[in-house]
Each structure stands twice: as C-alpha cells, then as structure tokens.
Amino acid sequence: MFRAYLELTMKNVFQRMARCGTAAYLYAVPVLVWMGVIFLLSSQPSLGVSGQHISLSYLLVRKGAHVVEYFFLGFLSFRLFRFCFLGNAHAVAAGVILLTLPFALSDEAHQLFVTGRQGRISDVLIDAFGIGLSLFFCLVILRRWEELQKTKLEE
C-alpha cells in the first residue's frame, strides 16, 4: 500500500497522464468541473434558516447533499486514476482519497469566509463517507458487474 502512495506524487501522475495522451484529460476535466460546481454551491450564502430548531428533513437533505456531491467526486476521480494507474487498485484508491479528502477540507475552510456559512469537521466526515461509498461502489460493485459482463461474453 505504501508503494501505491509513492506512485502518486504529482510529478508521477502528470507523467502518466502525458503518456496516456489527451485521453487522460477527458477524464480530468469532469473532475475539475465537478470541483467547480461544489465550490460554487459552497459559495452560496446561508439559506436563512435561523434559530435553534432545524427540522430533521432539512438536516437530512443538507447532509445528504454532501454525501451525493462527494460520491460523484469520488466516482469521477476513480475514473481518472483508474485510467492513469490501470491495474493498480491500491494506487487508484489512494489517488481518490488524496485528491478528494483535502478538497473536502478546503471546501469547509472556504465556507468559513461565506456569509451565513460555517466550516465544520463533521461535514468533512460526511464528505468522507460519500467518498468511501464511491470507492466501495467502484471497487466492489463495478468490479463484480464487469466480471459478470466478461463471463457473459465468454459464454
């Protein structure tokens, strides 16, 4: 696993992307666009909910949005790193974590400067849950689906 982290130096990632050609950028652009969407959503001022009482449904929708946002970011990042590190699942998973988790931290730090918003560590943990779900989906569910498709083709 440590070797996978060593393979993920920025220089190595850019070298692998350069070797893969312009196709790698087709995987990188959706990641950057989705990061921009998350940043723009985090730039929105508070929705005006004030006071001590916040409904459970409101809370579930807000925190569910964190999970969904970071699930998609994890999924898009998985596609990028899978393309660059074909066949090395540890490097792919490490790349996803090393890209998305610091972004989640920076997103919460960014919210400290937005009127009516607060940066919370609990939100980073919720974001990490979404990232973990995407990794589980990509590494387990998609792999199982690809194996089933492969066996159908062989039959």
Side-chain angles (χ1 to χ4, degrees):
M1 185 76 163
F2 182 71
R3 183 174 165 226
Y5 287 108
L6 291 177
E7 287 185 20
L8 287 168
T9 62
M10 290 307 289
K11 181 180 175 184
N12 195 2
V13 169
F14 287 122
Q15 285 175 346
R16 282 181 181 259
M17 287 179 70
R19 275 186 265 144
C20 295
T22 56
Y25 296 101
L26 296 175
Y27 290 96
V29 168
V31 173
L32 296 174
V33 168
W34 190 248
M35 286 177 157
V37 168
I38 292 172
F39 184 83
L40 286 174
L41 291 172
S42 295
S43 299
Q44 302 302 314
S46 176
L47 295 174
V49 176
S50 61
Q52 298 293 340
H53 181 68
I54 297 176
S55 71
L56 180 61
S57 61
Y58 174 80
L59 190 63
L60 288 175
V61 167
R62 295 286 292 189
K63 301 311 173 187
H66 277 267
V67 172
V68 171
E69 285 175 345
Y70 282 88
F71 178 89
F72 282 121
L73 182 59
F75 177 75
L76 293 171
S77 300
F78 181 86
R79 289 178 62 235
L80 170 64
F81 287 108
R82 182 176 169 193
F83 184 77
C84 293
F85 294 96
L86 192 61
N88 190 342
H90 288 162
V92 172
V96 169
I97 292 167
L98 291 174
L99 178 69
T100 57
L101 208 49
F103 181 75
L105 284 165
S106 69
D107 183 49
E108 291 303 317
H110 163 246
Q111 288 183 30
L112 292 171
F113 301 100
V114 177
T115 305
R117 300 293 294 265
Q118 298 175 357
R120 296 184 175 161
I121 293 297
S122 61
D123 286 348
V124 174
L125 294 175
I126 293 168
D127 298 341
F129 178 73
I131 295 164
L133 278 178
S134 70
L135 279 174
F136 175 78
F137 176 78
C138 293
L139 290 172
V140 177
I141 307 294
L142 282 181
R143 183 176 290 168
R144 177 74 107 204
W145 183 77
E146 288 172 349
E147 288 172 0
L148 288 173
Q149 295 301 316
K150 196 178 205 179
T151 57
K152 283 183 182 179
L153 289 175
E154 291 173 355
E155 290 178 353

